[in-house]
Amino acid sequence: MTERQIRLTDPRALRAYAHPTRMMLTGLLRREGPLTATRAAELTGESVASCSYHLRVLARFGLVEEAEGGQGRQKPWRATARFTDWPGYSDDPAVAEAADALTVAVAENYFQKMTKALESRRELSRAWQEAEEFSDATLYLTPEELSALGAKVDELLEAFADRDTDPALRPEGAQRVSYLRIAFLDREAPDPAPAPDPAPAPDPAPSQDADADAVEE
């Protein structure tokens, strides 16, 4: 049974997955698998030898595995999980560096896909063109609030998760949609102006002894 998520923490696994062909093959197996290296080559445009090599590398780090049936390059492969996760922060410099490199590789992959979608979007029906969204928002949040917002989005998306593996749950007209979620601290925004120092309190009136001005008799 395919697991929901695999978490990569080994720097070698993080660097291995950052390769664009391996990310493409993993995504393909998750959507269309199991597939042989030959079929993967037909769908990706890569050579059979290249697909076979990259699948073996992915298998070494637990991202894919051999499925039943076939032999050699005709042996099918399947993904071991539906999603890949990796640390957003690590005290280990090697893990942090490899994780950051993977995040950059994924972001570049997202950008390429989004650019391709924008270039061909006029081929879509009016309903899909109006439904697609390319926008952003600027929010003032604490780290805790941003994490809570992400959890709420996860909850909303969960309502559609079973459609990924069970086509019978997809309503008529449903198609695969890439829903990107990217949130980052705006480094280009100027730092908030420091709050002005509070005005100094006025000096208190000098105290007077009740009998100071009394006239001695």
Side-chain angles (χ1 to χ4, degrees):
M1 180 178 178
T2 302
E3 297 292 334
R4 177 171 178 79
Q5 181 172 281
I6 182 171
R7 183 171 178 82
L8 303 181
T9 56
D10 185 333
R12 297 170 300 172
L14 292 164
R15 289 193 294 269
Y17 188 56
H19 192 287
T21 300
R22 293 170 196 157
M23 287 192 287
M24 178 171 57
L25 286 170
T26 303
L28 183 63
L29 289 176
R30 289 171 177 172
R31 297 190 307 270
E32 311 292 344
L35 297 172
T36 64
T38 300
R39 181 56 178 158
E42 294 173 354
L43 294 173
T44 62
E46 298 286 324
S47 69
V48 176
S50 174
C51 287
S52 181
Y53 167 73
H54 288 302
L55 286 167
R56 290 196 303 272
V57 174
L58 291 168
R60 188 186 312 158
F61 297 106
L63 286 153
V64 307
E65 63 186 5
E66 292 184 344
E68 296 179 358
Q71 292 182 348
R73 291 178 179 174
Q74 299 308 313
K75 190 173 187 65
W77 296 84
R78 64 187 175 197
T80 57
R82 292 170 56 194
F83 304 102
T84 307
D85 182 41
W86 59 92
Y89 171 83
S90 176
D91 289 322
D92 185 332
V95 174
E97 182 179 357
D100 287 347
L102 174 54
T103 301
V104 170
V106 170
E108 291 174 343
N109 187 41
Y110 285 159
F111 179 77
Q112 291 176 359
K113 290 182 176 180
M114 186 175 66
T115 299
K116 185 176 180 180
L118 284 169
E119 290 173 345
S120 60
R121 71 185 307 268
R122 293 188 66 181
E123 300 172 7
L124 301 176
S125 67
R126 175 177 177 176
W128 277 111
Q129 289 189 53
E130 291 180 340
E132 285 188 335
E133 182 177 358
F134 299 92
S135 64
D136 68 335
T138 299
L139 308 172
Y140 283 84
L141 303 171
T142 65
E144 295 76 17
E145 287 173 330
L146 182 56
S147 295
L149 179 59
K152 290 181 180 179
V153 175
D154 283 340
E155 185 178 348
L156 291 172
L157 296 179
E158 187 63 28
F160 307 98
D162 290 340
R163 296 183 185 182
D164 185 39
T165 55
D166 189 351
L169 297 176
R170 302 170 193 169
E172 183 178 356
Q175 297 189 47
R176 188 171 68 243
V177 173
S178 291
Y179 194 95
L180 303 184
R181 292 172 53 196
I182 302 171
F184 56 88
L185 193 64
D186 190 350
R187 277 77 158 177
E188 296 182 358
D191 294 332
D197 293 331
D203 293 333
S207 59
Q208 295 181 342
D209 190 329
D211 295 328
D213 295 328
V215 177
E216 292 184 1
E217 296 181 354

